[in-house]
Amino acid sequence: MNIYKLQYDTKAVGDADLLAKGTYEVVTEEGVTQEVYRNGTQAIVFLNKIVEIPATYDKDGNELTPPVYYSGVFYDLMTTEEYDFGINEIFPVDCKHSFLGYEKNAEGTDVEPDELINE
Amino acid sequence: MSLLDDVSIVVTPNGYKAGELYAVIPVPSEGAEEVTNGDFATDSDWSKATGVTISGGNAIFNNSTANNNGIYQAAVFQANTQYKITAEVSNYSSGNVTAWSGGSQNINSNESFTGNGTKTWIISTGASNGYILLSSATTNGNFNIDNVSVKEYTSADMDVTRATAATRVDENGLVNYAEVVSDTELVTNGDFSNGTTDWTPNAAATLSIDTGRLKIAISGAGSGYAHQTFTIESGKQYKCTGTIDFGTASQMRFYVSNTGQFFDITQSGNFDFTFTSTGTSTQVRLYTYGDGNYGFWDNISVKEVTRDNVPRIDYTGGGCPHILAEPQRTNIVFPSDVAVTQTRTVTAVAYALSFYGTGSIVLSGTHSATLTGTGVNDRVDLIFTPTAGSLVLTVSGTVTNFQLEVGSYATSLIPTVSGTVTRNQDIFTRDGIGSLINSTEGVLFVEIAALSDDLTNRALSLSDGTTSNRILIYYSTASNQIIALYTYGGSTQVSIANILSDSTEFIKCAFKFKENDCALWINGIEVGTDTTATAFSADTLNSLALDDGGGSSKFFGKVKQLQVYDTSLSDTQLAALTS
């Protein structure tokens, strides 16, 4: 099983790349549109933004300082197939998300999320 | 005459293994031999690639290259049929032994094996088929193959795909992983019936047997242990269980050298840990703490455990169990075992918050609400839609099995520790069973319940593997609606809808299909008929799946029974079946 950790500038860009690579397909049947996994895809998990520095709050839950996020949005892809995601593939050492039954950093190596982005 | 005389497939919450849910009917059977010269008695009948020779009653792979470079025969498989392939591997030193099928040699690969022994593949062929190829999926294939056999395999055992672990409620009402534990015990003398044999103390530990248990007494150090080393496989999960009595020990811990993990045992009684191996051996240590103190260990066991793709037999609600099929979900709060106050970034979609216990969780920030627990063994949930931003979850009292997931209903617990965790969707399919389905007439019967009235399509189907020709029962996008659908050549022939009082309650539902004679029965009542339907040609339908026939609209719900009849039953029979 392959687990890819992916980072894109926006969700629209990420969705388009995953669609173009055939990891999923948009199916419309009887007026209902669904995104259906294809070609060995077991799961696509959209993680949205990931917090680098957490916000702070008072005792009532009011925000004192806002969170600081890593740039872009993140996905985890589990698949039986191999893909070349180029600069969108990242290798975090302290993954914020994992798949149930897998090691937390499965397939991760030693690069922080925002260090691989080519500006 | 019994209904059992007409039933060709019966699936219930019964036997299973990782990746497979066994059907009760039919009993698996094998057909005639389909390959010629499978024992390689002569150098004939097989086409050979470079690096493969036939000699001495074997196909000999000598540094064969990958994929296409093996041995093959054409015209072995029929289309859309299930087969059992076996082959004996010997003299193995490298490579991945794989069986292929398809319209030419290496179209569809199947599971790869390493090592010697008899390898077995159960495969379903597609529309274009004939060839069988045996090769190495990687370069440098070095092994011998003998006694290749290919036989049609008749079975309705369903393939189960989830590729992650998952939990369910067991017969005792406890939440635990759906898992298959190996019969092979890796620990020797774990019950200490043979004294302290096979256990070695370190310098600070003295071992003895006390009322059938291992007593570890510590002297001259803060801790000591007994240890044992054995072989395991890298990448596999292992389950460690046992029983302890603290005696006078101040602390007791189970250590696995393979991963360097210490598992803390907090109280006397049974313990249960799992680890994922990163090497080919491990030492386990029974750490006991306190200079001058002692503790007791018993029934130490380490066995391989499989959790991915294991179907879930769920007892939620008590009574008879059901097969549980759920969508992909992510638990975004952690840790799940005992909740702590935390903040999560959320978007403006529906969320399901759930937990067990008597405590409470106060939501603030992007949503304001309070969810209060009702009991240690009771699960409470709250469905809400926050505004986008930071949601604060303030925990007080006892809150366990803590879960917050995107979705309009709570699903089974997804345990978390230090980050968010995803459980994949459950997929149930069985193709290549045209011989078990009478396409021209029959009945699809199910006893099912929805997980929620969530206004999505959730289907169970008999089909040709597409949405063009299918028999469907599905919960629809209308509230509490169930529909029986008959699609012929891509056009809807029959669509019978019924509104249920509550789709999350179990119903017995039968869809009778026959040329110009279709009917939907629910709980003993004929709720709709249609007298305009074109019969499928024989052998059109060959797949059973918990989806719409084309892989979409997966059935997420509970299944107590799934049956396929090869004749259209009488009204009396249908009334009895669904009552």
Side-chain angles (χ1 to χ4, degrees), chain B residues 130-255:
Chain B
Y131 284 82
I132 177 173
L133 167 72
L134 291 160
S135 71
S136 175
T138 53
T139 56
N140 298 324
N142 285 289
F143 47 80
N144 293 356
I145 289 181
D146 192 11
N147 295 324
V148 176
S149 171
V150 176
K151 294 179 178 177
E152 184 175 346
Y153 186 70
T154 303
S155 163
D157 298 345
M158 298 193 76
D159 291 341
V160 181
T161 305
R162 191 181 53 242
T164 61
T167 65
R168 53 82 188 247
V169 174
D170 71 10
E171 58 270 38
N172 299 313
L174 303 174
V175 175
N176 54 34
Y177 283 100
E179 61 187 17
V180 175
V181 180
S182 168
D183 292 333
T184 303
E185 178 58 71
L186 299 174
V187 171
T188 306
N189 190 31
D191 62 359
F192 306 102
S193 59
N194 196 20
T196 62
T197 302
D198 299 312
W199 293 95
T200 304
N202 75 336
T206 300
L207 309 186
S208 61
I209 300 300
D210 183 304
T211 58
R213 305 170 298 175
L214 176 68
K215 178 179 180 181
I216 301 180
I218 309 304
S219 177
S223 68
Y225 59 84
H227 67 87
Q228 182 175 133
T229 302
F230 46 85
T231 300
I232 57 177
E233 291 185 52
S234 182
K236 294 194 171 180
Q237 278 193 308
Y238 293 88
K239 184 168 189 168
C240 314
T241 58
T243 306
I244 66 151
D245 180 337
F246 266 78
T248 62
S250 58
Q251 186 180 12
M252 296 178 79
R253 299 203 290 177
F254 189 89
Y255 174 76

Side-chain angles (χ1 to χ4, degrees), chain B residues 29-106:
Chain B
S29 62
E30 299 175 10
E33 183 58 68
E34 303 288 351
V35 293
T36 306
N37 189 30
D39 61 358
F40 304 101
T42 59
D43 184 3
S44 62
D45 302 297
W46 292 92
S47 298
K48 308 182 295 277
T50 302
V52 186
T53 57
I54 294 176
S55 176
N58 284 286
I60 302 168
F61 288 68
N62 183 10
N63 284 324
S64 67
T65 54
N67 299 340
N68 198 24
N69 295 308
I71 53 171
Y72 70 87
Q73 288 187 18
V76 172
F77 298 126
Q78 301 297 312
N80 299 315
T81 305
Q82 198 174 187
Y83 288 94
K84 181 177 183 179
I85 305 169
T86 57
E88 290 180 14
V89 177
S90 60
N91 287 341
Y92 174 90
S93 61
S94 61
N96 289 73
V97 184
T98 304
W100 305 69
S101 62
S104 58
Q105 293 97 304
N106 62 326

Side-chain angles (χ1 to χ4, degrees), chain A residues 1 27 29-30 32 34 36-38 42-45 48 51 57 60-61 63 69 78 96-104, chain B residues 161 163-165 177 237 276 308 328 343 345 347 390 415 418-422 424-425 457 470 474 485 548 550-553:
Chain A
M1 199 63 69
V27 176
E29 189 182 353
E30 296 180 350
V32 178
Q34 304 173 69
V36 182
Y37 296 155
R38 296 296 191 216
Q42 306 296 308
I44 300 172
V45 183
N48 210 332
V51 173
Y57 303 91
D60 298 321
E63 186 177 270
Y69 296 96
M78 176 185 275
K96 306 303 181 188
H97 169 264
S98 61
F99 291 95
L100 191 54
Y102 287 77
E103 291 294 301
K104 181 181 175 187
Chain B
T161 305
T164 61
Y177 283 100
Q237 278 193 308
T276 302
D308 292 358
Q328 177 185 319
T343 303
T345 302
T347 54
S390 296
S418 59
T420 66
V421 176
T422 295
N424 290 355
Q425 63 184 347
N457 290 328
R470 61 185 178 177
Y474 70 105
L485 190 76
D548 68 352
S552 303
S553 300

Side-chain angles (χ1 to χ4, degrees), chain A residues 51-117:
Chain A
V51 173
E52 183 179 12
I53 302 172
T56 58
Y57 303 91
D58 66 16
K59 61 181 177 55
D60 298 321
N62 299 311
E63 186 177 270
L64 299 175
T65 58
V68 176
Y69 296 96
Y70 289 108
S71 62
V73 297
F74 297 83
Y75 295 79
D76 275 6
L77 168 66
M78 176 185 275
T79 175
T80 59
E81 299 302 299
E82 293 186 9
Y83 296 98
D84 180 4
F85 287 99
I87 63 168
N88 298 115
E89 185 177 1
I90 59 174
F91 304 92
V93 292
D94 183 19
C95 294
K96 306 303 181 188
H97 169 264
S98 61
F99 291 95
L100 191 54
Y102 287 77
E103 291 294 301
K104 181 181 175 187
N105 289 328
E107 299 300 312
T109 55
D110 58 355
V111 182
E112 289 294 330
D114 61 349
E115 292 182 358
L116 278 188
I117 295 301

Side-chain angles (χ1 to χ4, degrees), chain B residues 307-332:
Chain B
R307 290 174 172 168
D308 292 358
N309 302 315
V310 174
R312 286 181 287 172
I313 308 301
D314 191 88
Y315 291 78
T316 300
C320 296
H322 55 263
I323 301 159
L324 179 62
E326 292 184 313
Q328 177 185 319
R329 290 288 180 91
T330 300
N331 186 359
I332 65 172

